Amino acid sequence: MTEPNQEATHHHHHHHLPKRIILVRHGESQGNLDTAAYTTTPDNKIQLTPSGLAQARQAGNHLYNIISNDENKNWRVYFYVSPYDRTRSTLREIGRSFKKERIIGVREECRVREQDFGNFQVKERMKVIKESRERFGRFFYRFPEGESAADVFDRVSGFLESLWRDIDMKRFHRDPSHDLNLIIVSHGLTCRVFLMKWFKWTVQQFEHLNNPGNCEFRIMQLGPGGEYSLAIHHTDEEMLEWGLSPEMIDDQKWRMRANKGDWNEKCPWYLDEFFDHVADSDRESGDKENGSSGMCE
């Protein structure tokens, strides 16, 4: 008999969690069209192209349709935006689809800015640098005078701490009847790093991820147990295209139903990747000590 009651308290426990956390990459920029733009313009001042502005308006429309389609018509949005011109312009265009009463607020957040590639970027030099990044590994390679993806991971981790604190203190959520949607307008690599940090993906898994396209988004949606999953909104095909492995997709599907704090026993990169050579039980290791070989054949 206690089940519905448990369900109620369970639901009560995470009613102040955002229903969705949506990562959006900025629209097409001058730098996406021609990397020569970076030789004369600071990265943070690179503008959207007319096509980028149109993409952002379309993304706003698409996001509005997804969010307003819910049973709960009492939804709200809160935006975080990288301080770069191209992300701010993307947000302005996305914002056209939402009425003011629906928007709780906007915060410019430096920690979700683009990876720093090191001041003005000389085209020929950047070509050589990017070739050596391929040899070194994309995650750990640090651009001269700039950052590595690992550096971005550290500041995104700091941002996530603040985000959880804001959620815990119900800073966004004045009214529990509202469904809250957090939208983070950022950059391709930053979005990938955010997901890596959130879902505890390994460096090796990160290396296989593809950049989202301009104004593409990734929707992390809250499951009934209080875990976020990409699989609630996105298809297997989409996630494969993004570079998630079948195991990573299985984990996303597990999260759709998981209770907060549960541990996915079937998640190979947490344990088996390191301890595939370790005996399963005490009894097994006793057999090995008594003469049978303990090495992987």
Side-chain angles (χ1 to χ4, degrees), residues 22-27 63 79-84 86-92 94 107 109 112-113 182-187 191 215:
I22 303 174
L23 302 167
V24 187
R25 185 184 171 205
H26 59 79
L63 285 167
F79 293 100
Y80 283 99
V81 62
S82 146
Y84 281 36
R86 57 184 177 274
T87 34
R88 291 171 57 100
S89 302
T90 300
L91 173 61
R92 284 180 72 90
I94 286 175
R107 191 180 303 170
E109 174 50 78
V112 298
R113 68 185 185 276
L182 287 185
I183 300 178
I184 301 170
V185 183
S186 181
H187 306 264
C191 291
C215 276

Side-chain angles (χ1 to χ4, degrees), residues 60-98:
N61 223 337
H62 194 168
L63 285 167
Y64 174 82
N65 291 336
I66 290 167
I67 294 169
S68 61
N69 219 351
D70 279 347
E71 286 163 34
N72 183 356
K73 295 301 173 202
N74 211 355
W75 54 269
R76 296 289 184 273
V77 289
Y78 188 96
F79 293 100
Y80 283 99
V81 62
S82 146
Y84 281 36
D85 284 1
R86 57 184 177 274
T87 34
R88 291 171 57 100
S89 302
T90 300
L91 173 61
R92 284 180 72 90
E93 298 307 313
I94 286 175
R96 292 175 191 274
S97 295
F98 296 91

Side-chain angles (χ1 to χ4, degrees), residues 38 41-47 83-86:
Y38 296 110
T41 310
D43 194 357
N44 65 298
K45 294 270 189 274
I46 298 272
Q47 301 298 313
Y84 281 36
D85 284 1
R86 57 184 177 274

Side-chain angles (χ1 to χ4, degrees), residues 7-21:
E7 186 56 41
T9 54
H10 213 74
H11 188 71
H12 179 76
H13 181 61
H14 46 253
H15 68 202
H16 68 281
L17 292 176
K19 174 161 188 181
R20 297 181 190 85
I21 299 173

Side-chain angles (χ1 to χ4, degrees), residues 234-249:
H234 298 288
T235 63
D236 290 21
E237 290 70 36
E238 278 181 284
M239 291 187 281
L240 278 170
E241 270 174 31
W242 304 345
L244 273 72
S245 68
E247 291 85 9
M248 291 160 80
I249 292 172

